[in-house]
Amino acid sequence: MAKTFSNRYIFIYSAVLVAVVALILTVVSVSLKPLQERNQQAEMKQMILKTIGVEATRDNADELYAKHITEADGYYQFAGGIVIPLHGTGLWGPIWGYLALNSENTVVGAVFDHKGETPGLGGEIASDKFAARFIGKKMDVQPIRLKKNADKANAYEVDAISGGTMTSNGVTAMLAEAYEDYSNLRKEAQQ
């Protein structure tokens, strides 16, 4: 004959089990947090270095970053230019990136990434092919914007992502916001 358990026993057993699992998950999460933060910092440094043409790994990102980048006022300076951080929202979540500008405010490097854009559509912002579209564009008198069938000769237009309208709009919005911040920084530097 099978043993039966009372409802009270099942409830107490379940509550204890949930508490033990929650405690284990909390301990694991707290113990892994420093590693996660180090990995995020290494990834950020790799992205910034990539915009200036320096390929880095997680192992050498700190060393190369210290050699090539100086942080100032939320921007990242390198020999002959500045790297601008970008933050925005795509179709399915956060998007971000970095633009490296030379002293003439011309893009010399770009890198973008996303949290959950659709692969093959909005997710294309993370590709080197997409980032290459920005090389040679300007961020001086107006922001760069994404536009379908953009005029390649126009220094302020980049061809939008086919099938990724919401992500393209998000990239345009984050570029406009970064332009405003960068313009204010340039005005302060001139005073």
Side-chain angles (χ1 to χ4, degrees), residues 2-163:
K3 186 172 182 179
T4 59
F5 296 102
S6 69
N7 286 343
R8 181 177 177 198
Y9 175 83
I10 293 171
F11 178 76
I12 292 171
Y13 179 81
S14 299
V16 169
L17 185 62
V18 167
V20 168
V21 169
L23 178 64
I24 291 170
L25 289 175
T26 300
V27 168
V28 169
S29 175
V30 169
S31 65
L32 290 177
K33 189 165 182 76
L35 180 60
Q36 290 172 335
E37 289 172 355
R38 278 196 304 273
N39 286 341
Q40 288 172 343
Q41 285 295 314
E43 183 180 15
M44 178 198 76
K45 290 175 181 178
Q46 287 175 282
M47 289 178 77
I48 291 169
L49 287 165
K50 187 174 182 179
T51 66
I52 64 168
V54 177
E55 290 296 325
T57 64
R58 287 182 191 235
D59 295 332
N60 67 3
D62 287 336
E63 176 187 340
L64 291 172
Y65 187 84
K67 180 178 178 182
H68 295 284
I69 302 294
T70 305
E71 294 182 20
D73 298 324
Y75 294 91
Y76 309 93
Q77 298 174 338
F78 65 99
I82 190 167
V83 178
I84 301 173
L86 307 168
H87 303 281
T89 305
L91 175 62
W92 300 112
I95 56 176
W96 60 91
Y98 298 92
L99 280 183
L101 305 175
N102 65 17
S103 59
E104 287 84 39
N105 301 308
T106 301
V107 177
V108 295
V111 64
F112 299 91
D113 209 348
H114 61 90
K115 177 94 174 164
E117 297 305 293
T118 307
L121 297 173
E124 289 300 303
I125 68 168
S127 72
D128 291 340
K129 184 178 175 183
F130 176 75
R133 297 177 190 177
F134 289 81
I135 307 298
K137 300 301 179 179
K138 302 288 272 182
M139 281 283 275
D140 52 3
V141 297
Q142 68 184 51
I144 299 168
R145 68 181 186 277
L146 273 64
K147 182 179 174 188
K148 288 188 184 215
N149 303 316
D151 178 4
K152 293 187 186 339
N154 186 325
Y156 305 99
E157 290 182 2
V158 169
D159 208 17
I161 303 163
S162 180

